[in-house]
Amino acid sequence: MLLFSVLASTLLGLLAGFLPGVGTEPERGAKTSSSHTPDVDLLPSPSASNCSQLTLKLEFSSEVVEHEYIVGFTGYFSAKARSHYISSALRSSGDGELEWRIVSRENPASDFPSDFELVHIRRASPGSLLTLENHPYIKRVTPQRKVFRSLKYFPSPEPALPCNTTPGNQKWQSWQSSRPFRRSSLSLGSGFWHATGRHSSRRLLRAIPRHVAQILQADVLWQMGHTGSGVKVAVFDTGLSEKHPHFKNVKERTNWTNEKTLDDGLGHGTFVAGVIASMRECQGFAPDSELHIFRVFTNNQVSYTSWFLDAFNYAILKKIDVLNLSIGGPDFMDHPFVDKVWELTANKVIMVSAIGNDGPLYGTLNNPADQMDVIGVGGIDFEDNIARFSSRGMTTWELPGGYGRVKPDIVTYGSGVRGSGMKEGCRSLSGTSVASPVVAGAVTLLASTVLNRELVNPASMKQALIASARRLPGVNMFEQGHGKLDLIRAYQILNSYRPQASLSPSYIDLTECPYMWPYCSQPIYYGGMPTIVNVTILNGMGVTGRIVDKPIWQPYLPQNGDHIDVAISYSPVLWPWAGYLAVSISVAKKAASWEGIAQGHVMVTVASPAENDSEVGGELTSTVKLPIKVKIVPTPPRSKRVLWDQYHNLRYPPGYFPRDNLRMKNDPLDWNGDHIHTNFRDMYQHLRSMGYFVEVLGAPITCFDASQYGTLLMVDSEEEYFPEEITKLRRDIDNGLSLIVFSDWYNTSVMRKVKFYDENTRQWWMPDTGGANIPALNDLISVWGMAFSDGLYEGDFTLADHDMYYASGCSIARFPEDGIVIAKNLKDQGLEVLKQETAVVEGVPILGLYQTPSDGGGRIALYGDSNCIDDSHRQKDCFWLLDALLQYTSYSMTPPSLSHSHSRVAPPTGAERPLPQRLEGNHLYRYSKVLEAHLGDPKPRPLPACPHLSWAKPQPLNETAPSNLWKHQKLLSVDLDKVALPNVKSYRPQVRPLSPGESGAWDIPGGIMPGRYNQEVGQTIPVFAFLGAMVVLSFFVVQLTKVKSKPKRRKPRIKRPTYLQQQQQQQQQTAGKNPTV
């Protein structure tokens, strides 16, 4: 084997000297078109180069269309029936001034029954819409949304190894309308916010002279005769040209837009289709699959929710098997869209979607990729590094009371991937919208390998992908999910698959770093907030299922499993194909001073109706085990424990909550969750490195024991406060709890300014609060004579020898006279926003420290800006300031750099200007957990009960727990060691011959076709190495055989007399024996 390795390495090294990397030679044959819109910058001309190596930036937004509503029905009805139901409902409203009409939809789905109708309603009162929703056959009424998408292509910035002959020929392209684009975010048109681009260009790796399908070993399955045949795959994008030379099995092209064309005017849809099903040049995974092209975006990158809903319904009617969706955004509360995705997967459509290009920030997952029933795909480069642009988990649906799920599901190549050009030839792009069709193509190819197609469904396919994925070292689960796509291992699993349930993640190990970050970053202890792990149940047995009885908690007694308590909540129904299992872990009282490792496991049994069971009411069942391993430490002292207030943080969706930094006009929405494990991740890591234990409060302030904590940390709070919370906090601070508040801007004039008026829909969008809810915070701290102002400031300054940047912060308007206040000279950003004027304000109070007068009372620290500890748009961190404030609040140690600062001023009294008031007519009550609608002003709701966990009754096991919980995730009855690949027969996908005048050259000298390269060159390398090894091995075997078979040399003996020899021979002949040699 050593000899074989040496020979193979030598041959590979020699051949590498003759085969250049991708991009080292000018491409020949790729062409582009630039005839679609005048706003589009042209690609390099074919004469300059045919190789386009670009980084794709894909952004989405949506806005509500005025007067148009999507009326969803409880079932599928004919157009006549739908019209009758709507008419009868609106007539019963008794609104005589109501004007309405059904908007006609001319597309391929209009001839079939539908479950929704698009209605134009003018002068609609809330009562009219409520009457419409109350109709027995109407499920929901939601506004119509207009969706925008922006495709921006940027060349690689590195000068080395240019793709084109002349690097200067590469220009960036931008296809966009007048708005920033991210699905379901609120774009702001020509108002205060505008798009300036989200990500800089990124380096593309160019050292792999093969296409992604061959890199992932699709050619192995091709040689077995599997090429995607019989699998219907849908591409929802910008269309495809009718006579594109890369595709031979385009079954149907449909147009769902208001443009009268089926062709792709932008190139993105063609690229995606090529990665999945191109048959030549830049080969796709499944060239023989049935390709269904859904044109859902116009050449101006505009779409509507109703277009998608109609197209989704048509995909269900056509019994599509795999669907690649090239859109995504933060709005997981867009009900018609999310509901339709559920319906698609319930009909066995395997949906693959990009996880988003908003990395490296955490909490940036896009919908629908963040749904349990969808395969969410992240991106890596060809060196197996997580792509910087790839969005990170966790999901934010569950906040503030719960904890997010693991996403993405898997990662695959998304940097420098080659796909089909708009008219012909190939190009390279990067982005998770590139990684998504890689997985969609792999899924299509895998589905074609399964003989019993009934076993292939969204759950079983995801189970196979995540169970076979290769884990990347040094990367946590919120970056890589279950790991890198492994096509061959997934094939092995699918072809010995038995319907079953599985878990994601398949185990909980709070000691395993870095994969189990953030769980592994902090041990648990008695009295701490329960650690919540949100596990996804995948049910490959059927679209619907249930958990039998209750999950069982079984601690291992030899491994101290009785030192932890476990509470379990779960989905009452698993639909479609999935559900959740929330595991809350706490330390038992007897382990308050104990340190060590505790282990146990949870047993869950899932049942699903047996579809083909002859016995009525038959069920399929599957039992899965969830191992749990935690590290317990003694309860830390109060001074080291910090409590993060999550309950009072609000984010988009559902409301319009603006960013904290007004300079970030291209990203106006606050949608990352404001959690210590999302956009405050770096702050959390810093606090842990300083020895603090950070816990999360997902309930009202009335629901925690303040005597256990040194400091309550409130950052960027948008929510209101219950009166009971205000009373309890005052009492807690009097008894020794300290408070740190990082605030943000709030100015009603600026809020009115950053609202936007959409010319298309003639509708205003108004923020529901500022960067923070200053009026609510002032109510909370007013008892100590403190308040924030509605001033809005920004600027650079130095504090305690640290460079600082104040980004859209407020000032302190009122503070106790015996407190410490620090002031700086800053620019009046509010004046700049309102009047486009610049002014510097001297002595703006930004930081205050105060020791409460009660005996044993706590301390309070206020700072007017949170951007310096927020990962979203942080320019200069102020973690040193947070350390200093915690030293003050936890240990009563006033930092000399602050108390003796030259910037210290007399505390403001608040007499100069009135305190900020709540914006009249705001709709915060619609999204608030505290407020409810009321005649006149909204009023607080009744204080909710504190969460109560029902701890599972343990069933102890007196046996040893497994020492290593991480194994390759094996599904039941699947052993990869026993699943061998079938004998490979000589086969390759059929390749359409070149038409006259077409160039078949690739970027390998000599014009080697990709298919020929992989068949003749790529496979020749191991053949040569093997033959050489066999020749050398045969030589050694022959020599060894000769040595063993050679007669041994006899020792010389004394010559006997002749008469004795004759006598001996006669005796031997008499005995019938031959002489011995």
Side-chain angles (χ1 to χ4, degrees), residues 511 522-526 558-561 563-564 587-599 630-636 688 693:
T511 69
Q522 180 170 291
I524 62 175
Y525 41 85
Y526 175 69
Q559 276 70 43
N560 310 297
H563 284 47
I564 55 177
V587 177
K589 185 176 182 179
K590 65 179 179 180
S593 302
W594 182 80
E595 182 173 357
I597 304 296
Q599 289 186 249
V630 301
K631 178 176 177 56
I632 300 174
V633 297
T635 303
R688 287 294 300 130
F693 293 82

Short mmCIF file of all heavy atoms in Angstrom, two decimals, residues 511 522-526 558-561 563-564 587-599 630-636 688 693:
data_model
loop_
_atom_site.label_atom_id
_atom_site.label_comp_id
_atom_site.label_asym_id
_atom_site.label_seq_id
_atom_site.Cartn_x
_atom_site.Cartn_y
_atom_site.Cartn_z
N THR A 511 -20.45 18.98 26.48
CA THR A 511 -19.00 19.01 26.73
C THR A 511 -18.21 19.02 25.43
O THR A 511 -16.99 19.15 25.47
CB THR A 511 -18.57 17.80 27.56
OG1 THR A 511 -18.71 16.60 26.77
CG2 THR A 511 -19.41 17.66 28.81
N GLN A 522 -20.50 26.87 28.18
CA GLN A 522 -20.77 27.21 29.57
C GLN A 522 -21.35 26.00 30.29
O GLN A 522 -22.39 25.47 29.86
CB GLN A 522 -21.74 28.39 29.63
CG GLN A 522 -22.12 28.86 31.04
CD GLN A 522 -22.87 30.16 31.03
OE1 GLN A 522 -22.34 31.22 30.71
NE2 GLN A 522 -24.16 30.11 31.38
N PRO A 523 -20.72 25.55 31.38
CA PRO A 523 -21.29 24.42 32.13
C PRO A 523 -22.58 24.84 32.83
O PRO A 523 -22.88 26.03 32.95
CB PRO A 523 -20.19 24.08 33.13
CG PRO A 523 -19.42 25.35 33.30
CD PRO A 523 -19.48 26.06 31.97
N ILE A 524 -23.34 23.85 33.27
CA ILE A 524 -24.58 24.16 33.97
C ILE A 524 -24.38 23.98 35.47
O ILE A 524 -23.43 23.32 35.91
CB ILE A 524 -25.75 23.28 33.45
CG1 ILE A 524 -25.47 21.79 33.72
CG2 ILE A 524 -25.96 23.51 31.97
CD1 ILE A 524 -26.64 20.89 33.34
N TYR A 525 -25.28 24.57 36.26
CA TYR A 525 -25.13 24.55 37.70
C TYR A 525 -26.52 24.72 38.32
O TYR A 525 -27.48 25.16 37.67
CB TYR A 525 -24.20 25.67 38.17
CG TYR A 525 -24.40 26.98 37.47
CD1 TYR A 525 -25.37 27.89 37.88
CD2 TYR A 525 -23.62 27.31 36.36
CE1 TYR A 525 -25.57 29.09 37.21
CE2 TYR A 525 -23.80 28.51 35.69
CZ TYR A 525 -24.77 29.39 36.11
OH TYR A 525 -24.96 30.57 35.46
N TYR A 526 -26.59 24.37 39.58
CA TYR A 526 -27.87 24.44 40.30
C TYR A 526 -28.31 25.90 40.44
O TYR A 526 -27.53 26.79 40.76
CB TYR A 526 -27.75 23.81 41.68
CG TYR A 526 -29.00 23.95 42.52
CD1 TYR A 526 -30.16 23.25 42.19
CD2 TYR A 526 -29.02 24.81 43.63
CE1 TYR A 526 -31.32 23.41 42.94
CE2 TYR A 526 -30.17 24.96 44.39
CZ TYR A 526 -31.32 24.25 44.03
OH TYR A 526 -32.47 24.40 44.78
N PRO A 558 -24.35 5.07 37.09
CA PRO A 558 -22.88 5.10 37.23
C PRO A 558 -22.25 6.38 36.70
O PRO A 558 -21.14 6.73 37.10
CB PRO A 558 -22.42 3.89 36.40
CG PRO A 558 -23.60 2.99 36.35
CD PRO A 558 -24.79 3.88 36.32
N GLN A 559 -22.95 7.06 35.81
CA GLN A 559 -22.44 8.34 35.27
C GLN A 559 -23.21 9.53 35.84
O GLN A 559 -23.33 10.57 35.18
CB GLN A 559 -22.54 8.34 33.74
CG GLN A 559 -21.37 7.67 33.04
CD GLN A 559 -21.38 6.16 33.25
OE1 GLN A 559 -22.44 5.54 33.17
NE2 GLN A 559 -20.23 5.59 33.53
N ASN A 560 -23.73 9.40 37.05
CA ASN A 560 -24.32 10.52 37.79
C ASN A 560 -25.50 11.16 37.08
O ASN A 560 -25.76 12.36 37.21
CB ASN A 560 -23.26 11.61 38.07
CG ASN A 560 -21.99 11.05 38.67
OD1 ASN A 560 -22.01 10.50 39.77
ND2 ASN A 560 -20.89 11.15 37.93
N GLY A 561 -26.25 10.35 36.31
CA GLY A 561 -27.39 10.89 35.60
C GLY A 561 -28.47 11.44 36.51
O GLY A 561 -29.26 12.29 36.09
N HIS A 563 -28.07 13.45 38.78
CA HIS A 563 -27.73 14.81 39.19
C HIS A 563 -28.39 15.86 38.32
O HIS A 563 -28.22 17.06 38.58
CB HIS A 563 -26.21 15.00 39.16
CG HIS A 563 -25.50 14.35 40.32
ND1 HIS A 563 -25.75 13.06 40.72
CD2 HIS A 563 -24.55 14.81 41.17
CE1 HIS A 563 -24.98 12.75 41.75
NE2 HIS A 563 -24.24 13.80 42.04
N ILE A 564 -29.09 15.46 37.29
CA ILE A 564 -29.77 16.44 36.43
C ILE A 564 -31.24 16.10 36.32
O ILE A 564 -31.66 14.94 36.42
CB ILE A 564 -29.14 16.50 35.01
CG1 ILE A 564 -29.12 15.11 34.36
CG2 ILE A 564 -27.75 17.08 35.06
CD1 ILE A 564 -28.58 15.12 32.94
N VAL A 587 -29.94 21.34 36.87
CA VAL A 587 -29.15 20.58 37.84
C VAL A 587 -29.99 20.34 39.09
O VAL A 587 -30.67 21.25 39.58
CB VAL A 587 -27.85 21.33 38.20
CG1 VAL A 587 -27.06 20.56 39.26
CG2 VAL A 587 -27.01 21.52 36.95
N ALA A 588 -29.97 19.11 39.58
CA ALA A 588 -30.71 18.76 40.79
C ALA A 588 -30.08 19.44 42.01
O ALA A 588 -28.89 19.77 42.02
CB ALA A 588 -30.73 17.25 40.98
N LYS A 589 -30.90 19.64 43.02
CA LYS A 589 -30.44 20.37 44.20
C LYS A 589 -29.28 19.67 44.89
O LYS A 589 -28.38 20.33 45.44
CB LYS A 589 -31.61 20.53 45.18
CG LYS A 589 -31.28 21.38 46.39
CD LYS A 589 -32.49 21.59 47.28
CE LYS A 589 -32.15 22.49 48.46
NZ LYS A 589 -33.33 22.73 49.33
N LYS A 590 -29.25 18.33 44.84
CA LYS A 590 -28.18 17.61 45.54
C LYS A 590 -26.82 17.81 44.88
O LYS A 590 -25.79 17.46 45.47
CB LYS A 590 -28.51 16.13 45.61
CG LYS A 590 -28.55 15.42 44.27
CD LYS A 590 -28.87 13.95 44.48
CE LYS A 590 -28.96 13.19 43.16
NZ LYS A 590 -29.28 11.76 43.39
N ALA A 591 -26.80 18.39 43.66
CA ALA A 591 -25.54 18.64 42.97
C ALA A 591 -25.14 20.10 43.02
O ALA A 591 -24.35 20.55 42.19
CB ALA A 591 -25.64 18.17 41.52
N ALA A 592 -25.68 20.86 44.00
CA ALA A 592 -25.41 22.29 44.07
C ALA A 592 -23.92 22.58 44.26
O ALA A 592 -23.42 23.60 43.79
CB ALA A 592 -26.22 22.93 45.20
N SER A 593 -23.21 21.69 44.94
CA SER A 593 -21.78 21.90 45.19
C SER A 593 -20.92 20.83 44.52
O SER A 593 -19.75 20.66 44.88
CB SER A 593 -21.51 21.90 46.71
OG SER A 593 -22.27 22.89 47.36
N TRP A 594 -21.50 20.13 43.58
CA TRP A 594 -20.80 19.00 42.95
C TRP A 594 -20.26 19.41 41.59
O TRP A 594 -20.83 20.25 40.90
CB TRP A 594 -21.78 17.84 42.80
CG TRP A 594 -21.19 16.59 42.20
CD1 TRP A 594 -20.43 15.65 42.82
CD2 TRP A 594 -21.34 16.15 40.84
NE1 TRP A 594 -20.09 14.65 41.95
CE2 TRP A 594 -20.63 14.92 40.73
CE3 TRP A 594 -21.99 16.66 39.73
CZ2 TRP A 594 -20.57 14.20 39.53
CZ3 TRP A 594 -21.92 15.95 38.53
CH2 TRP A 594 -21.23 14.73 38.44
N GLU A 595 -19.17 18.79 41.18
CA GLU A 595 -18.61 19.04 39.87
C GLU A 595 -18.31 17.71 39.20
O GLU A 595 -17.73 16.81 39.82
CB GLU A 595 -17.33 19.87 39.95
CG GLU A 595 -16.72 20.18 38.59
CD GLU A 595 -15.56 21.15 38.67
OE1 GLU A 595 -15.26 21.62 39.78
OE2 GLU A 595 -14.96 21.44 37.60
N GLY A 596 -18.73 17.59 37.93
CA GLY A 596 -18.49 16.35 37.21
C GLY A 596 -19.36 16.26 35.97
O GLY A 596 -20.02 17.21 35.57
N ILE A 597 -19.36 15.07 35.37
CA ILE A 597 -20.10 14.79 34.15
C ILE A 597 -21.31 13.92 34.49
O ILE A 597 -21.19 12.95 35.24
CB ILE A 597 -19.22 14.07 33.11
CG1 ILE A 597 -17.97 14.90 32.80
CG2 ILE A 597 -20.01 13.80 31.84
CD1 ILE A 597 -18.25 16.23 32.16
N ALA A 598 -22.45 14.28 33.93
CA ALA A 598 -23.68 13.50 34.14
C ALA A 598 -24.23 13.10 32.78
O ALA A 598 -24.20 13.88 31.82
CB ALA A 598 -24.71 14.32 34.91
N GLN A 599 -24.75 11.86 32.71
CA GLN A 599 -25.25 11.35 31.44
C GLN A 599 -26.56 10.61 31.61
O GLN A 599 -26.88 10.08 32.68
CB GLN A 599 -24.23 10.39 30.80
CG GLN A 599 -22.99 11.07 30.27
CD GLN A 599 -22.08 10.11 29.53
OE1 GLN A 599 -21.00 9.78 30.00
NE2 GLN A 599 -22.53 9.67 28.37
N VAL A 630 -23.74 16.22 30.06
CA VAL A 630 -23.55 17.60 30.50
C VAL A 630 -22.42 17.67 31.51
O VAL A 630 -22.07 16.68 32.17
CB VAL A 630 -24.84 18.17 31.14
CG1 VAL A 630 -25.99 18.14 30.16
CG2 VAL A 630 -25.20 17.41 32.41
N LYS A 631 -21.84 18.86 31.61
CA LYS A 631 -20.84 19.13 32.64
C LYS A 631 -21.46 20.02 33.69
O LYS A 631 -22.05 21.06 33.38
CB LYS A 631 -19.61 19.83 32.04
CG LYS A 631 -18.56 20.19 33.09
CD LYS A 631 -17.32 20.79 32.46
CE LYS A 631 -16.30 21.22 33.53
NZ LYS A 631 -15.90 20.14 34.45
N ILE A 632 -21.35 19.61 34.96
CA ILE A 632 -21.92 20.34 36.08
C ILE A 632 -20.79 20.93 36.92
O ILE A 632 -19.76 20.28 37.15
CB ILE A 632 -22.80 19.41 36.95
CG1 ILE A 632 -23.95 18.82 36.12
CG2 ILE A 632 -23.33 20.13 38.18
CD1 ILE A 632 -24.76 17.79 36.86
N VAL A 633 -20.98 22.17 37.36
CA VAL A 633 -20.03 22.82 38.26
C VAL A 633 -20.80 23.36 39.45
O VAL A 633 -22.03 23.53 39.39
CB VAL A 633 -19.26 23.97 37.55
CG1 VAL A 633 -18.43 23.43 36.39
CG2 VAL A 633 -20.22 25.05 37.07
N PRO A 634 -20.12 23.64 40.56
CA PRO A 634 -20.80 24.26 41.69
C PRO A 634 -21.38 25.62 41.29
O PRO A 634 -20.83 26.31 40.42
CB PRO A 634 -19.70 24.41 42.74
CG PRO A 634 -18.68 23.37 42.37
CD PRO A 634 -18.73 23.28 40.88
N THR A 635 -22.46 25.99 41.92
CA THR A 635 -23.10 27.27 41.60
C THR A 635 -22.12 28.42 41.81
O THR A 635 -21.57 28.56 42.90
CB THR A 635 -24.34 27.48 42.48
OG1 THR A 635 -25.23 26.38 42.29
CG2 THR A 635 -25.04 28.77 42.11
N PRO A 636 -21.88 29.22 40.77
CA PRO A 636 -20.92 30.32 40.92
C PRO A 636 -21.46 31.41 41.82
O PRO A 636 -22.68 31.50 42.06
CB PRO A 636 -20.74 30.82 39.47
CG PRO A 636 -21.96 30.37 38.75
CD PRO A 636 -22.42 29.11 39.40
N ARG A 688 -17.69 35.32 28.67
CA ARG A 688 -17.28 33.98 29.14
C ARG A 688 -15.77 33.93 29.36
O ARG A 688 -15.29 33.33 30.32
CB ARG A 688 -17.69 32.92 28.11
CG ARG A 688 -19.17 32.63 28.08
CD ARG A 688 -19.66 31.99 29.40
NE ARG A 688 -18.97 30.73 29.65
CZ ARG A 688 -18.38 30.42 30.81
NH1 ARG A 688 -18.39 31.30 31.80
NH2 ARG A 688 -17.78 29.25 30.97
N PHE A 693 -20.72 34.10 34.01
CA PHE A 693 -21.71 33.11 33.58
C PHE A 693 -22.95 33.88 33.13
O PHE A 693 -23.54 34.64 33.91
CB PHE A 693 -22.05 32.15 34.71
CG PHE A 693 -20.91 31.26 35.11
CD1 PHE A 693 -19.92 31.71 35.97
CD2 PHE A 693 -20.82 29.96 34.61
CE1 PHE A 693 -18.86 30.88 36.33
CE2 PHE A 693 -19.78 29.13 34.96
CZ PHE A 693 -18.79 29.60 35.82
#
